[in-house]
Amino acid sequence: MNTINKSPRSKVLTLFKVGSVFNPVRTKLNRCYLKYKYVVLDYPSRLNAMAIDPSKIVMSKDFRYTPGEVIFSVPFFKRVSISVRHDQEIVISKSSKRHALIMHAVLLMKSALHFKDGLNVDVENSEELRHCGLGSSSGLLASVACAINEVYGNPVDKKTLIAYLAQNHGEEIDGDNFHLNPVQCIGGSAAAGLCKAGMIILSGESVPIATMRVPKTYSIIVGIPKDIRDADSRILMGKEKKNLYKFVATGRKYGKIIAYNILHRMLPAMVMRDLKAIGDVIYEYRFKMGSIKNCSFTYKNLPKLCKRLEYLKNDGIAEILSISSVGPGIFVITKQPKLCERAFRSERLKIYSWAVNNDGYKIVRRMKNG
């Protein structure tokens, strides 16, 4: 039986109340004022290509995670609309999915900004892909938080907001709109919307240390097994906890090599915009250091599936081939999208095809207050 944290400072890492703040904003905020009556924005999704030190992903009582990650931003948008009310109520539209996460984002921003206004919140996320590797939960939190930040003139700077959201993260529990399940968050989803770049490296406590605009000549193809089942976050976390020792072992064995590869191979390749060299580092981590096998708790056929698709990287068809996060989503970045789509289709994967998003989140419309 799960227990509920009665206080964000509880030492027991269990379910917690929506709106709980474990790590408050630690920097002085810019001037906060009601700048817009309403804001509508489109928020991208992220693909997590690799961790830098997977041993640091083990559950933490302070909600601060330091494995680092390499992410790509993709234009799989959710649209968020925020309008200011004349009372102090927070009203989430009935059509918005995942109310607990939306309310958590609102209350996190209320805690940071201390606003007293009521808000209408609407999120168009009916096409959302939950627990497939696209950061749907953290992306939802980040999208609502960014829209509210816009309403009040962006008093929380980008780097602070990325860390704040990552270090107060949780995921919804089916049938419970009042509590969340603690789940590790590195900050990639927030960075995908807040950084104007298609590729981002985060290190330390969710700090973006390098970015690159990915050339428009590349396409991203994502394939998701059609036979996966949507699972509650508690079930998935239960499976992950049983496998975390594998992540720790990989980090201890290869951590120094990965760090060297990031510093001396990936960072220079980003300066040169060399996607193949970037993909080589990702490939070594995923295919040669046991990462895919470690993540197979999400989908038991993942290692065999990736093995059959390995030729896409080895034959130069795709510059980058990886699973995203712990899967089961698989993606390529390529100049030959048709060949990659054909390969994914032959494996009976559901296919999504995008360009890389280099522009962060996008303001659709807004109206100034007064």
Side-chain angles (χ1 to χ4, degrees), residues 249-262:
T250 295
R252 289 175 177 172
K253 184 176 182 179
Y254 296 108
K256 291 181 180 180
I257 297 173
I258 298 169
Y260 182 93
N261 287 344
I262 293 288

Side-chain angles (χ1 to χ4, degrees), residues 13 20-21 23 50 55 71 78 82 110 132 145 150 163 165 178 195 203 208 251 253 259 302 304 311 338 350 357:
L13 199 62
S20 295
V21 177
N23 294 285
M50 66 176 290
S55 71
I71 69 135
K78 50 179 69 65
I82 304 285
K110 193 166 188 176
C132 289
E150 285 280 349
L165 294 173
F178 303 100
C195 299
S203 189
K253 184 176 182 179
L302 192 61
K304 292 181 179 179
Y311 75 93
K338 297 300 181 183
K350 188 173 183 179
N357 177 58

Side-chain angles (χ1 to χ4, degrees), residues 40-106:
V40 182
L41 60 79
D42 285 343
Y43 201 90
S45 300
R46 68 98 177 100
L47 296 169
N48 176 348
M50 66 176 290
I52 298 174
D53 184 353
S55 71
K56 302 297 184 182
I57 201 63
V58 294
M59 297 301 295
S60 170
K61 293 177 181 178
D62 63 6
F63 280 59
R64 296 181 184 179
Y65 295 96
T66 60
E69 64 180 331
V70 177
I71 69 135
F72 294 91
S73 181
V74 294
F76 187 46
F77 294 113
K78 50 179 69 65
R79 176 161 292 185
V80 180
S81 303
I82 304 285
S83 61
V84 179
R85 296 171 57 88
H86 297 295
D87 54 29
Q88 295 185 351
E89 288 190 55
I90 304 298
V91 179
I92 302 171
S93 68
K94 292 182 179 179
S95 61
S96 301
K97 296 171 62 178
R98 310 175 82 176
H99 277 215
L101 284 178
I102 294 172
M103 183 58 76
H104 186 55
V106 174

Side-chain angles (χ1 to χ4, degrees), residues 17-229:
K17 291 182 179 179
V18 167
S20 295
V21 177
F22 298 87
N23 294 285
V25 171
R26 291 175 283 174
T27 60
K28 185 178 180 180
L29 299 184
N30 298 323
R31 178 172 171 256
C32 178
Y33 64 101
L34 185 60
K35 186 173 183 179
Y36 297 103
K37 290 181 179 179
Y38 73 81
V39 168
V40 182
L41 60 79
D42 285 343
Y43 201 90
S45 300
R46 68 98 177 100
L47 296 169
N48 176 348
M50 66 176 290
I52 298 174
D53 184 353
S55 71
K56 302 297 184 182
I57 201 63
V58 294
M59 297 301 295
S60 170
K61 293 177 181 178
D62 63 6
F63 280 59
R64 296 181 184 179
Y65 295 96
T66 60
E69 64 180 331
V70 177
I71 69 135
F72 294 91
S73 181
V74 294
F76 187 46
F77 294 113
K78 50 179 69 65
R79 176 161 292 185
V80 180
S81 303
I82 304 285
S83 61
V84 179
R85 296 171 57 88
H86 297 295
D87 54 29
Q88 295 185 351
E89 288 190 55
I90 304 298
V91 179
I92 302 171
S93 68
K94 292 182 179 179
S95 61
S96 301
K97 296 171 62 178
R98 310 175 82 176
H99 277 215
L101 284 178
I102 294 172
M103 183 58 76
H104 186 55
V106 174
L107 295 178
L108 286 180
M109 294 308 291
K110 193 166 188 176
S111 177
L113 304 183
H114 306 291
F115 63 83
K116 296 182 179 179
D117 307 287
L119 300 175
N120 292 314
V121 184
D122 179 75
V123 182
E124 295 181 22
N125 57 339
S126 59
E127 298 299 319
E128 200 168 55
L129 300 173
R130 197 170 76 140
H131 306 314
C132 289
L134 280 93
S136 64
S137 302
S138 52
L140 178 55
L141 286 171
S143 65
V144 174
C146 287
I148 293 173
N149 203 38
E150 285 280 349
V151 166
Y152 291 96
N154 288 309
V156 187
D157 67 88
K158 294 178 180 180
K159 291 180 182 177
T160 299
L161 188 54
I162 291 169
Y164 181 59
L165 294 173
Q167 293 171 6
N168 294 288
H169 180 74
E171 297 189 7
E172 86 277 24
I173 303 152
D174 291 346
D176 184 346
N177 282 331
F178 303 100
H179 302 97
L180 296 177
N181 190 39
V183 176
Q184 310 99 313
C185 183
I186 314 173
S189 291
L194 285 162
C195 299
K196 292 186 179 298
M199 179 184 174
I200 305 156
I201 297 180
L202 296 99
S203 189
E205 292 189 4
S206 306
V207 179
I209 61 168
T211 61
M212 183 185 81
R213 295 182 68 85
V214 178
K216 294 181 179 179
T217 50
Y218 287 97
S219 299
I220 291 184
I221 313 299
V222 177
I224 298 174
K226 294 180 180 179
D227 57 344
I228 62 167
R229 294 183 179 181

Side-chain angles (χ1 to χ4, degrees), residues 283 287-288 303-316 321:
Y283 174 81
F287 285 82
K288 303 300 182 182
K304 292 181 179 179
L305 174 59
C306 290
K307 184 67 177 177
R308 292 195 297 270
L309 292 170
E310 195 172 4
Y311 75 93
L312 293 174
K313 172 63 177 171
N314 291 335
D315 292 354
L321 168 67

Side-chain angles (χ1 to χ4, degrees), residues 49-51 70 72 258 261-262 265-266 275-292 306-307 309-316 318-323 331-332:
M50 66 176 290
V70 177
F72 294 91
I258 298 169
N261 287 344
I262 293 288
R265 295 172 60 190
M266 183 174 284
L275 266 291
K276 180 187 179 302
I278 291 168
D280 290 345
V281 175
I282 295 169
Y283 174 81
E284 285 181 25
Y285 170 73
R286 290 296 194 182
F287 285 82
K288 303 300 182 182
M289 298 180 183
S291 173
I292 291 173
C306 290
K307 184 67 177 177
L309 292 170
E310 195 172 4
Y311 75 93
L312 293 174
K313 172 63 177 171
N314 291 335
D315 292 354
E319 280 71 12
I320 294 172
L321 168 67
S322 179
I323 63 172
F331 74 94
V332 295

